[in-house]
């Protein structure tokens, strides 16, 4: 969602950091470019003006202009201002006598019902609370049945459907059922309209009065741009909004709604819907989002995602073999599964700092390699079509075996050859890791692909993601995100072996 804004800001900051000293005129020019980039990203004009007015006195101050690294100082000031504009993290409020009532409001088509299911699953899994979902949508056909199906899929109870009841009556029945059933949270999925008319607002106000919700969350579609901000302002004027859930944040919208929402409405963004699957819901973290917009990546989020998807026992076995310089096709298949669970290659690269990949230009070239995520599935299918002996000893793969594997996996012999070549290159990388010879990006990325990001940051050089040993992988769940090394200070081009080891074309920037 913020790709264009991140790219524009990255090019501005690249020019700033290349200059040894900055004059006031140069800073003013950069601020003008930042203003243009924010406006192009569909950020509201009052928000942009306030942002620039906040950054200007700090950016052209004597402390920055006389600094040894003025470009880096300006980046830090912009980063801090972005975080302030996005607002502080705002967790859900459960400080009430159970059941805590949460009311979901928004226009029709914004994704309220699906978001209700996602949030209910999030509360169940992360807050360990018993949730009851109730549909108050008597307008849209099959809306109640849709919530019931989501409840069956997630194992979360839903209020039985009684035909003919009004939304206010259903809300009262849901709260009563929550009390009698010992539920911690009752979630009310309200009806929507194609626009915020008086009938909708009156219905929301009546439900709010009857159910007295502790949390009233507005579900807004981020792809509607500034219209989402206007809708939020209209709802905030009629009901007591406590937070916003932005859906389709993984889309190709320009991101202006997310940056403007807090400033215009005074209501914090609490969650982002980042996919259609029921578990694709992220807690909104302003600092992480600001870091990703400025090309600093979200390594903490990457660590957490890897910890969630990693099988510690398998990672420990792979780590032990890697320390001995051993790397089988089964190990590679496990790596591919891990990569797929973490969002594929594009998802992982998107969370890495641009400087770690050799700057924003290198990151852009990696993003433009047209990496087909289905390739991971094809590669896994090819490995699965091999016998145990072949996976342990790829040298046995002669022409007839390759034809058999290609037929069994629905691919071609050329595809099989690519997988075998990729394995050889990755095995070479693992041997270097076992000898402690792979540094900076190579070591960090190889560790990540194996299910970890290394152990203690102090165990390796400043430019390393970990201690330089694959043994750090099983420690992933215990890794303290607050003690990660400062990856924004890393630089340099990615080693050529890095792209080869991932099976990607080596068409990155040429060495000068």
């Amino acid at each position: 969602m913020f790709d264009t804004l991140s790219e524009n800001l990255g090019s501005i900051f690249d020019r700033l950091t290349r200059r040894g000293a900055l004059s006031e005129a140069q800073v003013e020019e950069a601020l003008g470019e930042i203003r243009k980039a924010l406006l192009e990203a569909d950020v509201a004009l009052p928000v942009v003006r306030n942002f620039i007015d906040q950054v200007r006195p700090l950016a052209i101050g004597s402390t920055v202009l006389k600094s040894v690294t003025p470009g880096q100082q300006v980046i830090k000031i912009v980063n801090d201002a972005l975080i302030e504009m996005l607002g502080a993290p705002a967790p859900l409020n459960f400080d009430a006598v159970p059941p805590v009532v949460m009311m979901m409001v928004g226009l029709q088509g914004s994704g309220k019902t699906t978001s209700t299911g996602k949030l209910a699953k999030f509360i169940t899994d992360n807050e360990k609370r018993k949730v009851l979902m109730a549909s108050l949508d008597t307008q849209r056909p099959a809306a109640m049945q849709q919530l019931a199906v989501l409840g069956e899929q997630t194992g979360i109870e839903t209020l039985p459907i009684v035909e003919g009841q009004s939304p206010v009556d259903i809300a009262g029945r849901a709260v009563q059922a929550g009390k009698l059933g010992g539920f911690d949270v009752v979630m009310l999925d309200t009806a929507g309209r194609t626009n915020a008319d008086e009938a909708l607002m009156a219905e929301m106000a009546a439900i709010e009065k009857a159910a007295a919700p502790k949390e009233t969350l507005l579900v807004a579609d981020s792809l509607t741009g500034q219209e989402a901000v206007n809708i939020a302002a209209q709802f905030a004027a009629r009901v007591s909004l406590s937070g916003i859930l932005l859906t389709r944040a993984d889309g190709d919208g320009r991101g202006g709604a997310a940056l403007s929402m807090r400033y215009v409405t005074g209501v914090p963004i609490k969650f982002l819907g980042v996919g259609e699957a029921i578990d694709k819901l992220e807690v909104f973290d302003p600092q992480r989002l600001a870091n990703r917009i400025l090309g600093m990546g979200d390594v903490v989020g990457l660590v957490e995602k890897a910890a969630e998807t990693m099988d510690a026992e398998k990672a420990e076995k792979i780590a032990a073999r890697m320390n001995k310089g051993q790397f089988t096709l089964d190990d590679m298949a496990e790596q591919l599964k891990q990569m797929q669970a973490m969002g594929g290659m594009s998802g992982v690269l998107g969370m890495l700092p641009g400087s770690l990949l050799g700057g924003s230009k290198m990151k852009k070239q990696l993003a433009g390699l047209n990496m087909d995520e289905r390739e991971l599935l094809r590669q896994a299918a090819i490995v699965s079509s091999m016998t145990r002996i072949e996976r342990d000893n790829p040298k046995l793969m002669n022409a007839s075996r390759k034809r058999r594997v290609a037929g069994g996996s629905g691919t071609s012999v050329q595809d099989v050859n690519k997988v075998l070549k990729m394995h050889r290159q990755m095995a070479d990388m693992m041997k270097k890791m076992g000898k402690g010879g792979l540094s900076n990006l190579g070591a960090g990325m190889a560790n990540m692909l194996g299910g970890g990001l290394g152990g203690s940051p102090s165990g390796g050089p400043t430019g390393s993601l970990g201690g330089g040993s694959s043994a750090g992988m099983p420690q992933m769940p215990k890794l303290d995100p607050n003690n990660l090394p400062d990856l924004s200070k890393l630089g340099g081009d990615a080693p050529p072996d890095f792209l080869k080891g991932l099976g990607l074309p080596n068409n990155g920037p040429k060495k000068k």
Side-chain angles (χ1 to χ4, degrees):
M1 186 167 66
F2 297 101
D3 288 348
T4 302
L5 177 59
S6 180
E7 182 181 330
N8 290 339
L9 291 179
S11 62
I12 295 169
F13 293 142
D14 281 346
R15 290 195 296 272
L16 281 179
T17 52
R18 282 200 297 265
R19 293 168 176 166
L22 292 177
S23 66
E24 184 173 335
Q26 289 170 333
V27 174
E28 282 287 358
E29 181 185 354
L31 290 177
E33 292 176 347
I34 292 172
R35 181 179 185 274
K36 181 180 177 183
L38 291 172
L39 290 173
E40 287 178 350
D42 207 18
V43 181
L45 181 59
V47 180
V48 175
R49 285 175 176 167
N50 181 75
F51 180 83
I52 297 298
D53 289 343
Q54 181 182 351
V55 170
R56 179 179 285 110
L58 298 173
I60 63 176
S62 59
T63 304
V64 172
L65 297 180
K66 294 181 180 179
S67 170
V68 177
T69 56
Q72 294 291 345
Q73 294 285 337
V74 172
I75 294 174
K76 183 182 185 305
I77 291 169
V78 172
N79 185 51
D80 293 343
L82 264 178
I83 294 172
E84 186 174 339
M85 179 172 68
L86 292 167
L92 292 173
N93 186 1
F94 296 99
D95 187 15
V97 177
V100 177
V101 180
M102 296 187 180
M103 179 175 162
M104 309 290 282
V105 301
L107 294 185
Q108 188 172 331
S110 60
K112 280 192 311 301
T113 302
T114 304
S115 296
T116 300
K118 287 182 179 181
L119 187 56
K121 177 173 171 53
F122 175 86
I123 294 172
T124 302
D125 294 345
N126 295 276
E127 301 291 342
K128 309 301 180 186
R129 297 176 189 265
K130 188 179 179 183
V131 180
L132 173 68
M133 298 189 295
S135 175
L136 280 60
D137 191 349
T138 59
Q139 302 289 326
R140 183 167 61 89
M144 293 183 175
Q145 288 78 2
Q146 180 187 355
L147 191 66
V149 170
L150 286 173
E152 292 175 2
Q153 291 176 350
T154 57
I156 298 171
E157 292 191 48
T158 55
L159 187 73
I161 300 172
V162 176
E163 298 292 340
Q165 279 193 319
S166 69
V168 175
D169 292 337
I170 298 173
R173 182 163 61 92
V175 174
Q176 188 64 25
K179 291 177 180 177
L180 297 176
F183 289 91
D184 300 309
V185 178
V186 172
M187 301 196 65
L188 306 178
D189 176 28
T190 64
R193 303 285 194 280
T194 54
N195 56 357
D197 56 17
E198 180 58 32
L200 173 63
M201 293 305 177
E203 183 179 297
M204 296 301 105
I207 295 172
E208 183 180 36
K209 184 177 180 180
K214 189 68 177 179
E215 289 272 4
T216 302
L217 300 178
L218 171 68
V219 181
D221 185 352
S222 61
L223 295 187
T224 57
Q226 282 307 303
E227 185 59 27
V229 181
N230 299 332
I231 292 167
Q234 292 174 358
F235 272 93
R238 295 297 299 271
V239 295
S240 302
L241 292 182
S242 61
I244 297 169
L245 190 157
L246 274 181
T247 60
R248 297 205 279 185
D250 58 326
D252 56 359
R254 290 178 286 181
L259 295 175
S260 307
M261 198 75 77
R262 175 62 182 261
Y263 180 88
V264 173
T265 66
V267 179
I269 301 173
K270 294 197 173 186
F271 293 95
L272 296 175
V274 292
E276 295 182 4
I278 198 69
D279 59 342
K280 295 298 184 180
L281 187 72
E282 287 185 359
V283 176
F284 181 76
D285 189 313
Q287 183 171 358
R288 293 188 191 179
L289 183 59
N291 287 346
R292 291 178 72 173
I293 290 173
L294 296 182
M296 298 176 185
D298 181 13
V299 179
V300 176
L302 187 60
V303 169
E304 292 175 350
K305 187 179 290 188
E308 290 173 3
T309 59
M310 183 190 69
D311 187 324
E313 185 177 350
K314 288 182 180 178
E316 190 171 353
K317 291 179 180 178
I318 293 176
R321 288 197 293 271
M322 282 166 59
N323 278 334
K324 299 176 183 178
Q326 300 172 355
F327 187 72
T328 66
L329 280 164
D330 275 330
D331 295 335
M332 189 183 76
E334 194 62 39
Q335 311 265 20
L336 296 175
K337 287 181 183 177
Q338 175 75 14
M339 178 69 73
Q340 191 177 359
M342 292 172 64
M345 179 64 70
S346 58
V348 172
L349 290 177
M351 301 179 81
L352 286 173
S355 58
L356 183 65
L357 300 175
S360 58
K361 187 179 293 184
M362 175 66 172
K363 191 169 185 177
K364 182 180 178 181
Q365 289 181 341
L366 282 173
L369 288 177
N370 194 24
M371 292 176 285
D372 187 354
E373 303 302 343
R374 290 175 297 180
E375 185 67 24
L376 295 175
L377 295 175
R378 285 194 288 268
Q379 291 167 347
I382 289 172
V383 176
S384 298
S385 298
M386 298 179 186
T387 65
R388 167 68 64 181
I389 296 176
E390 290 169 343
R391 292 197 296 268
D392 288 340
N393 186 9
K395 293 181 180 179
L396 295 175
M397 294 296 296
N398 55 26
S400 62
R401 290 176 185 261
K402 290 177 182 179
R403 285 195 296 270
R404 189 200 78 241
V405 170
S409 59
T411 59
S412 65
V413 174
Q414 288 83 356
D415 292 327
V416 176
N417 287 332
K418 287 180 183 178
V419 170
L420 294 173
K421 182 179 179 181
M422 176 180 173
H423 170 260
R424 286 196 302 272
Q425 292 167 341
M426 292 182 72
D428 291 341
M429 293 176 69
M430 299 311 154
K431 288 179 182 178
K432 292 179 182 178
M433 285 181 61
K435 298 175 183 178
L438 200 60
S439 61
N440 291 344
L441 177 63
M445 199 68 182
N447 275 334
M448 180 195 67
L449 290 171
L453 280 168
S456 169
S458 60
T462 308
S464 175
L465 269 168
S469 170
S470 59
M473 291 188 298
Q475 303 300 322
M476 169 68 74
K478 301 178 183 177
L479 185 60
D480 182 5
N482 295 320
N483 291 328
L484 287 170
D486 186 2
L487 296 176
S488 63
K489 296 180 180 179
L490 297 178
D493 291 336
D497 283 348
F498 164 58
L499 292 176
K500 290 182 180 179
L502 298 177
L504 300 174
N506 186 12
N507 58 355
K510 303 296 183 182
K511 292 190 178 291
K512 297 180 180 179

